[in-house]
Amino acid sequence: MLIITIKQGKEKSLLEERQPWVYASAVERVDGRPQEKMTAGITALVHSSSGQFIARAAYNSKSQIRARIWSFDANEPVDHALIKRRVKVAVAKRSGATTKPVVLVSGDEDGLSGLLVEWYGGTKGYLVCEFQAAGVDAWKVAIVQSLMAETGCKNVYERADALLRKGEGLAVLSGVLAGDEPPDAIELTEKGVKFFIDIKTGRKDKFR
């Protein structure tokens, strides 16, 4: 497994403040096999300059955010079970019994750094996912399966933020991940105003 060693004096934000990101400027060195170092989103151990365990994180050599923390618990592995738990908790916090659009997963807040999930139209509607970082992109299948299981929604679409994905060295991809493709526009009401939104792009228009 890769080991990311943090520069002396740079550990405070991780050890005391639980900062979820490790920037390139804070990294002293990365030890591991060359192939692992080039694998975007691979799980790595984060150590202090003295060799103390700090966290497990998703490593990305192509991003200025070199690592995004999965867990500060040395006994918590990064596996399918972790993904399922994080998705389940996020959905339980926000889904409720509503057909209104809702943000189901909000990145670092839910321990899934770089993941944004919006839900439109309830169980017969659409889950729209943005995988904005290599770590969650590497766990895309498990994330989608967990989202479908927890919401009962069978339609999942991936929307790409080109700027963010390019910054992570990821291909800019959009398309259906499960079920049916969303329509070009759906009608919503916000504060008494009706408008249309293309959930494939996030663009709102045709206010009336």
Side-chain angles (χ1 to χ4, degrees):
M1 180 175 285
L2 291 182
I3 297 178
I4 304 167
T5 300
I6 304 300
K7 292 178 180 177
Q8 187 174 8
K10 295 287 187 178
E11 301 104 330
K12 182 178 179 180
S13 64
L14 295 168
L15 291 171
E16 298 180 11
E17 302 169 14
R18 301 295 190 179
Q19 166 61 245
W21 297 354
V22 177
Y23 289 97
S25 60
V27 176
E28 177 68 34
R29 67 179 186 275
V30 179
D31 298 310
R33 291 181 292 182
Q35 185 177 354
E36 291 179 325
K37 293 180 183 181
M38 297 306 296
T39 303
I42 191 170
T43 301
L45 297 177
V46 181
H47 284 181
S48 69
S49 57
S50 63
Q52 175 187 356
F53 172 88
I54 296 177
R56 284 187 171 86
Y59 176 72
N60 187 356
S61 64
K62 296 180 180 179
S63 174
Q64 284 302 304
I65 303 173
R66 281 291 191 271
R68 294 172 183 258
I69 303 301
W70 282 117
S71 177
F72 290 99
D73 184 349
N75 297 314
E76 185 173 36
V78 179
D79 54 16
H80 282 80
L82 178 142
I83 297 297
K84 290 178 181 178
R85 288 196 303 273
R86 299 276 170 93
V87 170
K88 183 174 184 177
V89 170
V91 171
K93 281 195 299 186
R94 302 185 180 96
S95 61
T98 178
T99 58
K100 294 181 180 179
V102 61
V103 175
L104 275 186
V105 182
S106 185
D108 294 307
E109 182 181 343
D110 296 305
L112 294 163
S113 188
L115 179 64
L116 175 66
V117 181
E118 298 172 338
W119 191 11
Y120 298 85
T123 56
K124 295 183 179 179
Y126 302 88
L127 293 162
V128 179
C129 305
E130 290 188 21
F131 298 88
Q132 301 172 350
V136 288
D137 196 70
W139 287 95
K140 186 180 294 183
V141 173
I143 288 170
V144 170
Q145 290 174 343
S146 298
L147 284 167
M148 293 171 67
E150 293 300 325
T151 63
C153 181
K154 304 303 181 185
N155 303 312
V156 185
Y157 187 85
E158 179 177 3
R159 182 167 71 203
D161 185 311
L163 184 63
L164 291 176
R165 284 187 66 88
K166 287 179 180 178
E168 287 280 300
L170 299 172
V172 179
L173 302 172
S174 295
V176 175
L177 297 178
D180 299 326
E181 183 171 358
D184 292 335
I186 62 173
E187 184 178 305
L188 297 176
T189 300
E190 189 174 89
K191 295 181 180 179
V193 178
K194 289 185 178 180
F195 63 94
F196 291 92
I197 182 171
D198 181 351
I199 62 176
K200 291 182 286 186
T201 64
R203 185 169 55 247
K204 299 177 182 180
D205 56 16
K206 298 183 182 178
F207 279 82
R208 61 184 186 182

